[in-house]
Amino acid sequence: MSILMGAIADDFTGATDLASTLVGQGMPTVQAIGVPADSFDPGDARAVVVALKSRANPPKEAVADSLAALTWLQDQGAEQIIFKYCSTFDSTDYGNIGPVADALMDALDTNFTIACPAFPKNGRTIYKGYLYVDDVLLSESGMKNHPLTPMTDANLVRVLSRQTPHQVGLIDMNAVNQGSAAIRARFDELQEAGYRHAIVDAINDADLMSIGEALASVKLVTGASGIALGLPENFRRTGEMSGSTDPTLPPTNGRSAVLAGSCSIATRSQIVAAQDHWPSLSLDPLSFADTPERGAADALAWVDSQTADAPVLIYSSADPDAVAKAQDKLGRDEAGDLVEDTMGAIAQGLVDRGVRRLVVAGGETSGAVVQALGITGLRIGPEIDPGVPWTETLNEPHMALALKSGNFGAPDFFMKSLAMLP
Ligand code: ADP
């Protein structure tokens, strides 16, 4: 059975978020880590999300990686392609949203696409082309200070126009409110007038469902995970996909562990909540900076001293003062690399000790762990909290893995995730 939907995501936890949305709409989905090898087997999945790390790369590299992912997805039979980026439209005037979308359109031989980063469930809405984060404009949100992609303009028509030589139009709430036929009519109108891109307003999930229906025959769709809400239903309408399979939890037999490298407020409160129930170990990068291998070795010796019955929680997460102290002493990137390498080595040691249920908190931390474990693909299971599903690794070591973007999840996330597993 070939796949129906192919997606190219510009970062790792964003790919999981999109994959989880597709699964939530009844589409069996796997996530590939990087452009898959020819031997990668999506099994009975009807959608594959290729997770790239291209958001902050030079546009040329982002385009090359995205085109390589597209070629692989087309070889698997993908009929529709989603280019997934962040719901805060993270990009600069150089890209990478415009250049990647243009390159994908050329390769797909199509001359129209939409851009809709709305994700109402997480407070991202678009009205008259302006992107809101909760109750404020994007340009007034924390994103204005982002270290790599500061977003200082909330008008997405303007933002995208700076990233592409082509015309960018707007399909506003007046059309969206009238439903899918009216939206489709606006696609045709804009296309005939020479527009290649259109920002589409959306303030709730019902809007995204109407937009999704209107997109049935659009080859390339760009947006955040919300844009995928209404797409799987199109394949049921044509009979190419039937029913709505419930995602199943990964089979689990083995010890449980949580690794947290995110220093976000959400993750730190999740750690505090779990510490009441499980043994925990704090990793201070300053204590092993001189002999980096000691970080993992000491942590694993601590694991060996614990009973195998209870989950273990190991975290480097710290408050901003402690992080600043480590960064001052070691350098920002060096401190991050030291912690990530240590987390990767700990993950390997945990798997060697029989851990087969692992929760990881932090985007970069998740990347480091997945890389250290040599994982090439994930089958997406049921959602734990919005945007974070349980997954099952497709290659050895076969295990249950939950990868959480730092800020996601309720305070009881760690306990809730492990309690879900049989
Ligand atoms: P998030 O999803 O919250 O952004 P990430 O894992 O992506 O979390 O990023 C956290 C970064 O902070 C990683 O590079 C990690 O190695 C680094 N880090 C974690 N703990 C510490 C610490 N105690 N001191 C300095 N850097 C740290």
Side-chain angles (χ1 to χ4, degrees), residues 261-264 285 316-318 323 326 335-336 339-340 362-365 405-406:
S262 163
C263 299
S264 65
S316 66
S317 318
V323 173
V339 173
E340 285 170 37
E364 296 298 325
T365 310
S405 173

Coordinates of all heavy atoms in Angstrom, one line a residue, residues 261-264 285 316-318 323 326 335-336 339-340 362-365 405-406, ligand 1:
G261 N 16.2 17.8 29.4 CA 17.2 18.8 29.2 C 16.7 20.2 28.9 O 17.4 21.1 28.7
S262 N 15.3 20.2 28.8 CA 14.7 21.5 28.6 C 14.7 22.4 29.9 O 14.4 21.8 31.0 CB 13.3 21.3 28.1 OG 12.5 22.5 28.3
C263 N 15.0 23.6 29.8 CA 15.0 24.5 30.9 C 13.7 25.4 31.0 O 13.7 26.4 31.7 CB 16.3 25.4 31.0 SG 17.7 24.4 31.0
S264 N 12.8 25.0 30.2 CA 11.5 25.8 30.1 C 10.7 25.7 31.4 O 10.9 24.8 32.2 CB 10.6 25.3 28.9 OG 10.2 24.0 29.2
P285 N 26.1 20.6 34.7 CA 27.3 20.5 33.7 C 28.6 21.0 34.3 O 29.6 20.5 33.9 CB 26.8 21.3 32.5 CG 25.6 22.1 33.0 CD 25.0 21.4 34.2
S316 N 18.8 17.9 33.6 CA 19.8 19.0 33.7 C 19.1 20.3 33.8 O 19.7 21.3 34.0 CB 20.7 19.0 32.4 OG 19.9 19.3 31.3
S317 N 17.8 20.2 33.6 CA 16.9 21.4 33.6 C 17.3 22.3 34.8 O 17.3 21.7 35.9 CB 15.5 21.0 33.6 OG 15.2 19.9 32.8
A318 N 17.4 23.5 34.7 CA 17.8 24.4 35.8 C 17.2 25.8 35.6 O 16.7 26.1 34.4 CB 19.3 24.5 35.9
V323 N 21.6 28.3 34.7 CA 22.0 28.2 33.2 C 23.0 29.3 32.8 O 24.0 29.0 32.2 CB 20.7 28.2 32.3 CG1 21.1 28.2 30.9 CG2 19.8 27.0 32.6
A326 N 26.4 28.4 34.1 CA 27.1 27.4 33.3 C 27.5 28.0 32.0 O 28.6 27.7 31.5 CB 26.1 26.2 33.1
A335 N 28.2 24.7 26.7 CA 27.3 24.1 27.8 C 26.2 23.2 27.2 O 26.0 22.1 27.7 CB 26.8 25.2 28.6
G336 N 25.6 23.8 26.1 CA 24.5 23.0 25.5 C 25.0 21.7 24.9 O 24.4 20.6 25.2
V339 N 25.8 19.1 27.7 CA 24.6 18.5 28.3 C 24.0 17.5 27.3 O 23.6 16.4 27.6 CB 23.6 19.6 28.7 CG1 22.3 18.9 29.2 CG2 24.1 20.4 29.8
E340 N 23.9 18.0 26.0 CA 23.3 17.1 25.0 C 24.1 15.8 24.8 O 23.5 14.7 24.7 CB 23.1 17.8 23.7 CG 22.0 18.9 23.7 CD 22.0 19.8 22.5 OE1 22.3 19.3 21.4 OE2 21.7 21.0 22.7
G362 N 12.5 18.4 25.7 CA 13.4 19.3 25.1 C 13.6 19.0 23.6 O 13.9 17.8 23.3
G363 N 13.5 20.0 22.8 CA 13.7 19.7 21.3 C 15.1 19.3 21.0 O 15.3 18.2 20.3
E364 N 16.1 20.1 21.4 CA 17.5 19.7 21.0 C 17.8 18.5 21.8 O 18.6 17.6 21.3 CB 18.4 20.9 21.4 CG 18.2 22.2 20.7 CD 18.4 22.0 19.2 OE1 19.3 21.2 18.8 OE2 17.7 22.7 18.4
T365 N 17.4 18.3 23.0 CA 17.7 17.2 23.8 C 17.1 15.9 23.1 O 17.8 14.9 23.0 CB 17.1 17.3 25.2 OG1 17.5 18.6 25.8 CG2 17.6 16.2 26.2
S405 N 8.5 18.7 23.2 CA 9.0 20.1 23.1 C 8.9 20.7 24.4 O 8.0 20.5 25.2 CB 8.2 20.8 22.0 OG 8.6 22.1 22.0
G406 N 10.0 21.4 24.8 CA 10.1 21.9 26.2 C 8.9 22.5 26.8 O 8.4 22.1 27.9
Ligands
ADP1 P1 13.5 23.4 24.7 O1 12.6 22.4 23.9 O2 12.9 23.8 26.0 O3 14.0 24.5 23.9 P2 16.0 22.1 24.3 O4 16.4 20.7 24.7 O5 15.7 22.3 22.8 O6 14.7 22.5 25.2 O7 17.1 23.1 24.7 C1 17.7 23.2 25.9 C2 19.1 23.5 25.7 O8 19.7 23.8 27.0 C3 19.9 22.3 25.3 O9 20.9 22.6 24.4 C4 20.5 21.7 26.6 O10 21.7 21.0 26.3 C5 20.8 23.0 27.3 N1 20.9 22.8 28.7 C6 20.1 22.0 29.5 N2 20.4 22.1 30.8 C7 21.4 23.0 30.9 C8 22.1 23.6 32.0 N3 21.9 23.2 33.2 N4 23.0 24.5 31.7 C9 23.2 24.9 30.5 N5 22.6 24.5 29.4 C10 21.7 23.5 29.6

